Amino acid sequence: MKEIRRAAIAAVLAAALISGAANAEALRIGVLPAADSIVLYAAADEGLFKKAGLDVEIVPFKSALELGAAMRAGRLDGHFGDLMNVFTQNETGVKQAVILTTTHTNPEQRAFGLVISPKSAGEIKSLDDLKAKKGTETAMSSSTIIDYLADRMKATEALPEGTLRNVEVKPIPIRLQMLLSGKVASAILPEPLVSVVESKGGRVVWDDKALNEALAVVALRAQKLDPATVSGFRTAVAEAAKLIEADPEKFRAVMVKKSLLPKPVAADYKMVRFSIYGTPDGLPPLPTAEDVKRVGDWMIAKGMLKAVPDYASIVVPAAK
C-alpha cells in the first residue's frame, strides 16, 4: 500500500513539474547556422519540446559574437555553441551549464576539416605535401573553435612550426569565398562547408575524425537548470535525432530552408547521424572532465581564461 502511495505522489510531482515548465515563459535558445543545429530546429518544428512540457523558441544568429552579446544582455535562456563560449560567459558572470552535446568527433562522421583551395588542390594533395611547404596561407578566426582545432591538428599531426600562415578572417562566408577564389590556399571549416569546397574541386587533407571530444554543445542559464527543464529538453532533442535519421530527405530539405545547407550541394551531402554514438539516450556523449581541462588549458594559454572551471559546475550529468 505504501509503495502505491509513494508511486502516486511521485506521479503527481512529476506532472506538476511538467505543467510548471509548460506554463513558464518560452525558453529562447540562440543557434548558429551549423549543420548539427538541425536537431534543435527539428525538436521545435515537430512539436517535441511541447510534448516534453516545454515552450522553446529557436533564435537564429549569424555569428558567435552576436549570440554571445545576446546571452550577456539577458535576451537568451540558452545557446548552441562550444565549450569556449560557455567558459567565457561563465567567467563574465553569465552562469550556465552544458546539458547536451550536438557534435562529438567520431570515426564515421567528420564535423570539421582542413580544406585546400581548388586552385591549390593540384599542388597540395595530402598533409605530407602541406608539411613539405612553409607559410601556406590559411583563413583563420582566432580565439574560436577553428583556432582550437588548428592547434589540435598541429599537435596530433606534428605539423612543423610555420607550416601555416594565419590570415585572420572572422566571417565564415568571407572565409569560404576567399578559399574558393584562391585568395588563401587553405582553411579549417565546419560541415557542410567542407563538402561545399570539396564539390568545387577543393581537397580535404585533414579532418577531426581521429579526435575524441565534444565540439558543439547546448547550454542553459543557471536559472533554467531545473530537473524538469533539463530532462524535457534532452528527451525532445533525442527524439528529434531519431526522426532525422529515420527520414533524412525530409530534414535535408529543412536544412536548406533554414540556411544550414547550401542548395547546390544538398543532394550529395551526407546527413548528420546520431545513432553512431551508441549512447543510452541516443545523443552524442557529454563533454568529459578531460575535455573541460583540455579546452580550459588551451584558453588559459591564449589569455582567454583565468582558470579551468570546475567540471561539476559546467556539465549537467546525464540521467542514469
Side-chain angles (χ1 to χ4, degrees), residues 113-136:
L114 177 67
V115 195
I116 304 301
S117 164
K119 290 189 177 181
S120 300
E123 179 186 1
I124 304 173
K125 299 180 180 180
S126 68
L127 207 56
D128 286 337
D129 288 340
L130 193 66
K131 290 178 181 180
K133 296 172 65 65
K134 196 172 181 69
T136 298

Side-chain angles (χ1 to χ4, degrees), residues 138-279:
T138 304
M140 180 58 60
S141 178
S142 61
S143 303
T144 65
I145 188 70
I146 298 297
D147 194 7
Y148 171 76
L149 286 172
D151 283 349
R152 289 284 280 141
M153 176 185 66
K154 291 172 186 176
T156 57
E157 300 294 342
L159 256 65
E161 190 66 33
T163 298
L164 305 179
R165 184 165 72 83
N166 292 350
V167 177
E168 187 71 16
V169 186
K170 288 289 185 190
I172 289 179
I174 296 176
R175 205 182 312 157
L176 175 64
Q177 191 54 46
M178 288 179 69
L179 184 69
L180 291 174
S181 65
K183 290 183 179 177
V184 292
S186 68
I188 292 180
L189 295 172
E191 282 291 6
L193 299 185
V194 174
S195 294
V196 170
V197 178
E198 228 177 359
S199 73
K200 295 182 180 296
R203 190 183 301 277
V204 182
V205 296
W206 176 87
D207 61 39
D208 60 0
K209 290 180 182 178
L211 301 180
N212 181 26
E213 57 188 288
L215 295 181
V217 298
V218 173
L220 294 182
R221 286 180 179 273
Q223 301 92 320
K224 304 295 181 179
L225 291 173
D226 60 276
T229 298
V230 173
S231 176
F233 205 104
R234 284 175 170 162
T235 298
V237 174
E239 286 192 37
K242 291 176 184 175
L243 289 183
I244 292 167
E245 290 209 39
D247 193 353
E249 294 310 312
K250 172 184 175 177
F251 291 98
R252 188 191 307 273
V254 174
M255 288 180 70
V256 172
K257 183 179 178 181
K258 303 287 187 183
S259 299
L260 308 180
L261 179 63
K263 192 172 183 178
V265 299
D268 297 321
Y269 175 65
K270 190 174 181 180
M271 285 291 288
V272 289
R273 292 177 296 152
F274 300 90
S275 60
I276 54 177
Y277 299 103
T279 54

Side-chain angles (χ1 to χ4, degrees), residues 34-75:
D36 52 329
S37 65
I38 180 60
V39 76
L40 298 175
Y41 282 108
D45 293 349
E46 299 296 319
L48 300 176
F49 284 127
K50 289 190 182 300
K51 179 182 172 184
L54 300 176
D55 182 7
V56 175
E57 179 186 354
I58 303 299
V59 185
F61 287 84
K62 292 183 179 179
S63 75
L65 287 175
E66 293 173 335
L67 192 155
M71 280 292 291
R72 289 191 296 276
R75 293 191 288 113

